[in-house]
């Protein structure tokens, strides 16, 4: 559909302004305080009810929370940088993200739409050919960068709300619009899902800008992938080895070397036999340990992730990794504990909804080419929400909004083609308005 009640040029310019503001002030998982406050004030300007804070979370399911001191530093930074510290105070402890409902004036279904809002642990490039650096809106926060386009997703979510508010008289049912924290590391969706918020959704839509298919197929803005497959099921966990400290010169035999145990575990986890049924991955991405050069180390910590093309294959990798960890600990007289940090399962988009999505996209202004299905090529915790919607009888799809890429995702030179923001808002709003009419 076309949105002729709205000055789209003015709307797009404003959404780009919002995206650049978010890009300049990126916040990692569970610390999206300023980001959430900005979203809430935008939604309140539209007169929408907004739920946020502890009410939209289940604390036991808030996986992979940052350490206390880091959380506090981010909280204080946000209080300084935001014009709505009153909102931020209600999110203390990491209760970030928000949910709004847009009630239509016609009877109809409940449509869930989710966008993610967090940034990456990544340093932004200062190169002159990197647009945010040249344009003066590069990240102000060290080691934080929107390098996956979630700043654009957030702006798309706000744009969707604005469009739908202008067409309430034509909107059937209602839209539950979710701004999810903590997608990176697959940490945020489980908490929001556990509140039961998605059980009522008849239809659910998610979307990601760019990704591998944009690179591979040279997608442009206006190319939309209506459904995705190949979500790798993934588990993120830390392993902490506990050994016994001793003088490395005088009494090495009295110690138990935690770094030796962790090293044996790293090498052997990388040697886990691959599953015959399909692709699997394992990565040990961080390794920290020890206290001093002449001390037998009594502690070592590993950051681990497993992935599999099915939940079963991921489980196989995870179990094998735990077996190796325990074996390696025993070899050196150490003990090991594992700490679950996040996970997401695979999901298959519903054909019936994909059909309807394609039909709506065909009539959506700005959509030039529709690709029915494409490889997502990674993990996304939107799958946690999608599985929940399906478990309650709803239908789901996750789309990709194509755009030319300057660099891969999670790279310091990654950038968003900002024309995708207005398009994304039109896509979500059209789907909410039209899906039940197909
Ligand atoms: Zn992402």
């Amino acid at each position: 559909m076309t949105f002729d009640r709205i000055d789209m040029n003015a709307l797009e310019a404003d959404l780009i302004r919002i995206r650049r503001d978010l890009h300049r002030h990126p916040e990692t998982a569970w610390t999206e305080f300023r980001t959430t406050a900005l979203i809430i004030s935008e939604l309140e300007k539209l007169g929408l009810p907004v739920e946020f804070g502890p009410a939209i979370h289940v604390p036991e399911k808030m996986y992979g929370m940052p350490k206390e001191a880091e959380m506090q530093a981010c909280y204080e930074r946000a209080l300084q940088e935001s014009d709505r510290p009153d909102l931020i105070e209600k999110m203390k402890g990491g209760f970030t993200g928000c949910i709004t409902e847009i009630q239509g004036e016609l009877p109809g279904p409940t449509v869930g739409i989710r966008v993610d809002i967090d940034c990456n642990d990544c340093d932004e490039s200062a190169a002159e050919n990197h647009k945010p650096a040249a344009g003066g809106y590069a990240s102000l926060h060290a080691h934080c960068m929107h390098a996956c386009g979630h700043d654009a997703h957030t702006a798309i979510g706000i744009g969707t709300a604005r469009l739908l508010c202008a067409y309430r008289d034509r909107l059937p049912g209602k839209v539950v619009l979710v701004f999810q924290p903590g997608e990176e590391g697959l940490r945020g969706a489980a908490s929001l899902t556990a509140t039961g918020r998605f059980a009522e959704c008849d239809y659910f839509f998610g979307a990601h800008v760019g990704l591998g298919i944009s690179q591979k197929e040279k997608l442009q803005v206006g190319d939309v992938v209506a459904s995705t497959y190949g979500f790798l099921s993934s588990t993120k966990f830390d392993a902490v080895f506990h050994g016994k400290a001793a003088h490395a010169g005088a009494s090495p035999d009295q110690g138990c070397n935690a770094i030796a145990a962790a090293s044996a575990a790293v090498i052997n986890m990388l040697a886990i036999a691959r599953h015959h049924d399909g692709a699997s991955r394992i990565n040990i991405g961080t390794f920290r340990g020890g206290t001093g050069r002449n001390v037998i180390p009594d502690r070592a910590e590993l950051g681990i992730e497993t992935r599999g093309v099915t939940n079963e294959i991921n489980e196989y990798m995870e179990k094998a990794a735990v077996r190796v960890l325990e074996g390696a600990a025993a070899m050196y007289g150490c003990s090991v504990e594992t700490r679950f940090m996040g996970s997401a399962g695979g999901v298959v988009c519903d054909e019936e909804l994909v059909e309807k999505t394609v039909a709506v996209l065909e009539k959506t202004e700005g959509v030039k080419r529709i690709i029915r299905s494409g490889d997502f090529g990674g993990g996304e915790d939107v799958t946690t929400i999608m599985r929940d919607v399906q478990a309650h009888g709803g239908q789901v799809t996750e789309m990709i909004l194509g755009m030319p890429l300057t660099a891969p995702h999670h790279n310091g030179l990654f950038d968003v083609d900002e024309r995708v923001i207005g398009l994304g808002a039109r896509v979500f709003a059209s789907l909410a308005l039209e899906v039940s009419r197909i």
Side-chain angles (χ1 to χ4, degrees):
M1 66 178 281
T2 46
F3 292 91
D4 43 18
R5 292 180 191 174
I6 296 265
D7 177 348
M8 275 314 287
N9 288 335
L11 174 65
E12 287 186 30
D14 200 46
L15 295 177
I16 289 172
R17 176 191 62 79
I18 290 171
R19 180 259 160 171
R20 291 184 181 186
D21 181 354
L22 294 168
H23 193 84
R24 207 163 144 78
H25 303 93
E27 294 172 306
T28 51
W30 302 123
T31 70
E32 308 93 332
F33 300 110
R34 182 186 182 277
T35 306
T36 304
L38 184 150
I39 300 163
I40 296 170
S41 20
E42 287 296 330
L43 298 174
E44 281 178 353
K45 275 188 221 162
L46 295 167
L48 291 170
V50 189
E51 293 172 79
F52 68 103
I56 61 164
H57 287 288
V58 173
E60 316 76 91
K61 301 270 182 182
M62 294 169 75
Y63 300 134
M65 294 290 277
K67 299 219 164 83
E68 190 77 31
E70 189 191 337
M71 170 72 85
Q72 188 61 25
C74 293
Y75 176 74
E76 276 159 24
R77 182 185 66 196
L79 286 174
Q80 291 295 317
E81 288 182 346
S82 174
D83 54 0
R84 292 299 303 273
D86 57 316
L87 295 174
I88 289 173
E89 278 161 16
K90 294 181 186 150
M91 301 170 218
K92 195 168 188 245
F95 296 100
T96 50
C98 62
I99 302 175
T100 189
E101 278 191 14
I102 304 157
Q103 188 67 54
E105 289 172 18
L106 304 174
T110 298
V111 175
I113 294 173
R114 169 272 204 186
V115 291
D116 46 9
I117 65 171
D118 57 328
C119 80
N120 304 89
D121 299 308
C122 177
D123 286 309
E124 182 149 23
S125 168
E128 270 171 36
N129 63 348
H130 181 54
K131 255 179 101 185
Y137 55 93
S139 171
L140 293 172
H141 302 161
H143 206 48
C144 292
M145 175 192 172
H146 273 293
C148 199
H150 301 183
D151 47 352
H153 296 170
T154 308
I156 288 171
I158 293 168
T160 304
R162 288 194 195 169
L163 291 177
L164 290 175
C165 282
Y167 285 85
R168 270 179 198 258
D169 58 324
R170 286 186 49 188
L171 177 65
K174 72 171 177 189
V175 173
V176 179
L177 178 57
V178 180
F179 294 84
Q180 185 209 301
E183 191 286 318
E184 298 295 344
L186 312 177
R187 294 180 269 176
S191 171
L192 293 173
T193 308
T195 60
R197 207 63 186 68
F198 299 104
E200 61 171 324
C201 290
D202 299 292
Y203 303 114
F204 173 87
F205 299 99
H208 205 299
V209 297
L211 302 182
I213 189 168
S214 278
Q215 193 116 3
K216 243 185 256 165
E217 309 280 330
K218 305 232 176 314
L219 298 189
Q220 300 299 312
V221 173
D223 297 343
V224 180
V225 184
S227 68
T228 37
Y229 58 85
F231 291 103
L232 293 177
S233 174
S234 179
T235 308
K236 322 285 184 193
F237 60 104
D238 290 343
V240 184
F241 286 85
H242 301 282
K244 200 169 145 209
H247 193 293
S251 51
D253 53 306
Q254 308 283 304
C256 295
N257 192 325
I259 286 184
S263 303
V266 170
I267 298 297
N268 287 287
M269 279 189 284
L270 294 173
I272 292 169
R274 289 301 182 260
H275 203 284
H276 70 279
D277 248 359
S280 62
R281 307 269 191 281
I282 184 162
N283 189 46
I284 300 94
T286 62
F287 190 144
R288 294 189 185 87
T291 51
R293 190 184 308 278
N294 59 357
V295 181
I296 301 291
D298 66 345
R299 188 182 168 92
E301 281 184 47
L302 304 175
I304 305 162
E305 60 164 30
T306 59
R307 297 174 195 251
V309 74
T310 61
N311 296 338
E312 290 69 31
I313 293 174
N314 180 52
E315 245 166 63
Y316 160 79
M317 290 301 289
E318 187 186 336
K319 269 194 194 141
V322 170
R323 193 176 65 232
V324 168
L325 287 163
E326 285 167 356
M331 275 166 67
Y332 290 90
C334 299
S335 64
V336 64
E337 53 169 321
T338 52
R339 292 180 187 158
F340 177 75
M341 298 302 277
S343 73
V347 76
V348 177
C349 298
D350 291 283
E351 264 313 302
E352 202 185 316
L353 183 60
V354 175
E355 197 79 42
K356 290 180 178 177
T357 302
V358 169
V360 173
L361 290 174
E362 276 168 358
K363 291 188 288 179
T364 302
E365 190 183 18
V367 174
K368 294 186 190 119
R369 182 159 71 114
I370 302 158
I371 297 158
R372 194 185 165 85
S373 179
D375 190 351
F376 193 86
E380 233 285 5
D381 75 350
V382 71
T383 56
T384 303
I385 302 174
M386 292 164 83
R387 286 155 64 99
D388 188 61
V389 171
Q390 287 179 330
H392 291 90
Q395 297 180 359
V396 304
T397 191
E398 168 79 3
M399 300 172 285
I400 292 173
L401 303 167
M403 62 175 192
L405 292 179
T406 50
H409 289 250
H410 298 196
N411 179 294
L413 282 165
F414 175 84
D415 195 20
V416 161
D417 185 320
E418 290 172 325
R419 293 171 302 162
V420 82
I421 298 172
L423 179 85
R426 280 196 290 250
V427 163
F428 274 140
S430 299
L431 285 165
L433 283 156
E434 302 290 335
V435 70
S436 55
R437 295 192 167 100
I438 299 292

